[in-house]
Amino acid sequence: MTDDVVVLRYGHRPGRDDRMTTHVGLTARALGADRVVLPDNAGQSAETIRDITDRFGGPFAVELRDDQRAYARRFEGTVVHLTMYGERVQDVEAGVRGDSVDADTPLLVVVGGEKVPFDFYEEADYNVGVTNQPHSEVAGLAVFLDRLFEGAELEREWTDADRVVLPQETGKRVVDPATAAAERDGDDGDAAADDA
Amino acid sequence: MTDDVVVLRYGHRPGRDDRMTTHVGLTARALGADRVVLPDNAGQSAETIRDITDRFGGPFAVELRDDQRAYARRFEGTVVHLTMYGERVQDVEAGVRGDSVDADTPLLVVVGGEKVPFDFYEEADYNVGVTNQPHSEVAGLAVFLDRLFEGAELEREWTDADRVVLPQETGKRVVDPATAAAERDGDDGDAAADDA
């Protein structure tokens, strides 16, 4: 599913925005996007996201570009702009899903940092608000992706990880991928029983 | 629904964490929590969250405390600790909802910033991972709340706002509450038709 879903971060102020931009990228990765496109001055965030991908698995691509507006304009597929001024996510999510994931058509999700030029509002196929309240572009992206994929992104498997976190009731358990695979196979019976 | 759902932010480094802590609080507010409890050195974040509540409505409470661990230990209700090491949200969300929202029992959601002491893992009723991948405490909180409330939080109405954002296909529209109420009433027929 290479590049089916791309997250584009618009705007980045080095220093001040490093953590937010990193969190946008890590959220995109963890919640099912295939690629994040960052402004070319966000090299530090790109490095952190690539490092996490190396350790915890992929596939996930990080790209630095200086042509965010042209990239969005030329994107061949559906373009969603997340904004608190947009249509309610609960009203449009089925339409977005139908036009993109269900239709096997690429989807670009634009996430603003600093003020987003009006171009993005006009050229987006959907301006979408995860609530019409001011909160966090990271939170909006997370809820949008979880709804877009209807939770299927939580079941994804990762390749080329050098470590795997195994879910625990209490405490922390981190193992190598072979151990994780063996435990998963061994747990199949229990998992099926839990689901019933 | 006063204090049915409380979000507790653990840890805050002034300066470095201001935006993340602010985003935790704004996300808690926008996605249906009743209160956020911040470390007492997070006064700047508290001020921003209160300012947003004054302008965009409530009810939503912001509290500064210096006894996060004791507060969690003494909390009368269900305690969830969000952590990438925890059980998968998709496996435990129904249980959490049954113990809290559905049972009319208060719920405390602990969101870590810096390293969370092992106490929280042990004293939580649920350690919950929104994926077992490293990403963002803001993203994890957002997906957790949206799943906890099954999207009902997106329909909430706000009181004592001095402005209301009306969802738009393109552009920005901000009106006073009376105008928003009048438009909502006028739109009822369309909304019902759209839902059908």
Side-chain angles (χ1 to χ4, degrees):
Chain A
M1 50 179 227
T2 307
D3 272 13
D4 282 337
V5 178
V6 180
V7 172
L8 178 83
R9 167 72 159 174
Y10 181 80
H12 176 80
R13 295 161 297 182
R16 181 166 153 78
D17 289 340
D18 286 345
R19 274 174 90 198
M20 293 310 302
T21 298
T22 301
H23 283 220
V24 165
L26 293 178
T27 297
R29 173 185 170 276
L31 295 177
D34 301 290
R35 173 182 297 260
V36 68
V37 176
L38 303 179
D40 61 357
N41 63 350
Q44 193 175 323
S45 294
E47 201 176 311
T48 304
I49 302 160
R50 287 183 185 131
D51 178 55
I52 293 287
T53 303
D54 284 346
R55 288 191 285 149
F56 290 89
F60 185 74
V62 184
E63 196 177 348
L64 294 168
R65 301 183 69 106
D66 65 356
D67 61 344
Q68 261 64 9
R69 289 162 82 160
Y71 184 88
R73 199 165 50 239
R74 288 193 296 247
F75 188 81
E76 294 184 11
T78 304
V79 178
V80 165
H81 170 220
L82 297 180
T83 163
M84 64 174 278
Y85 300 101
E87 297 182 276
R88 308 189 319 160
V89 63
Q90 63 268 45
D91 295 340
V92 297
E93 62 188 75
V96 175
R97 193 184 310 114
D99 291 351
S100 59
V101 177
D102 289 352
D104 232 341
T105 299
L107 175 66
L108 181 69
V109 184
V110 178
V111 178
E114 57 189 60
K115 281 222 188 304
V116 170
F118 197 66
D119 297 19
F120 283 105
Y121 288 86
E122 287 187 311
E123 281 162 14
D125 296 296
Y126 297 91
N127 289 285
V128 178
V130 175
T131 80
N132 295 103
Q133 298 292 320
H135 55 102
S136 169
E137 62 268 38
V138 174
L141 176 64
V143 169
F144 176 79
L145 290 175
D146 188 39
R147 285 172 169 256
L148 176 72
F149 295 121
E150 298 180 285
E153 83 285 357
L154 301 180
E155 308 293 337
R156 100 165 255 191
E157 297 191 4
W158 301 89
T159 55
D160 294 326
D162 68 19
R163 69 194 70 185
V164 177
V165 174
L166 294 181
Q168 298 288 301
E169 269 188 44
T170 310
K172 306 179 182 183
R173 187 142 181 256
V174 185
V175 301
D176 61 85
T179 306
E183 298 222 1
R184 225 170 2 237
D185 292 345
D187 282 352
D188 267 3
D190 290 335
D194 285 349
D195 286 347
Chain B
M1 50 179 225
T2 308
D3 273 13
D4 282 337
V5 177
V6 180
V7 171
L8 178 82
R9 167 72 159 174
Y10 181 80
H12 176 80
R13 294 160 298 180
R16 180 165 154 78
D17 288 341
D18 287 344
R19 273 175 90 199
M20 294 310 303
T21 296
T22 300
H23 283 220
V24 165
L26 293 178
T27 298
R29 172 185 170 278
L31 295 177
D34 302 290
R35 173 181 296 261
V36 68
V37 177
L38 304 180
D40 61 356
N41 63 350
Q44 192 176 324
S45 294
E47 200 176 313
T48 303
I49 302 161
R50 285 181 185 132
D51 177 56
I52 293 286
T53 303
D54 285 346
R55 289 191 285 149
F56 290 89
F60 185 73
V62 183
E63 195 178 348
L64 293 168
R65 301 184 68 106
D66 66 356
D67 61 344
Q68 260 65 7
R69 288 163 82 160
Y71 183 89
R73 198 166 50 239
R74 287 193 296 246
F75 188 81
E76 293 185 10
T78 304
V79 178
V80 164
H81 169 220
L82 296 180
T83 162
M84 64 175 277
Y85 300 101
E87 297 181 275
R88 307 189 320 160
V89 63
Q90 63 268 47
D91 295 339
V92 298
E93 63 187 76
V96 175
R97 193 183 309 114
D99 290 352
S100 59
V101 177
D102 290 351
D104 233 339
T105 299
L107 175 66
L108 181 69
V109 183
V110 178
V111 177
E114 57 189 57
K115 281 221 186 305
V116 170
F118 197 66
D119 296 21
F120 282 104
Y121 289 86
E122 287 187 312
E123 280 162 15
D125 296 297
Y126 297 90
N127 289 286
V128 178
V130 175
T131 79
N132 296 103
Q133 298 292 319
H135 54 104
S136 169
E137 61 268 39
V138 174
L141 175 64
V143 169
F144 176 79
L145 290 174
D146 188 40
R147 285 172 169 256
L148 176 71
F149 295 121
E150 298 180 284
E153 82 286 356
L154 300 180
E155 308 293 338
R156 100 164 254 189
E157 296 192 4
W158 301 90
T159 56
D160 295 327
D162 68 20
R163 69 194 69 187
V164 177
V165 174
L166 293 182
Q168 298 289 300
E169 269 187 45
T170 309
K172 305 180 182 182
R173 187 143 180 254
V174 185
V175 300
D176 62 84
T179 306
E183 298 222 1
R184 226 173 358 242
D185 292 345
D187 282 352
D188 267 4
D190 292 335
D194 285 348
D195 286 349

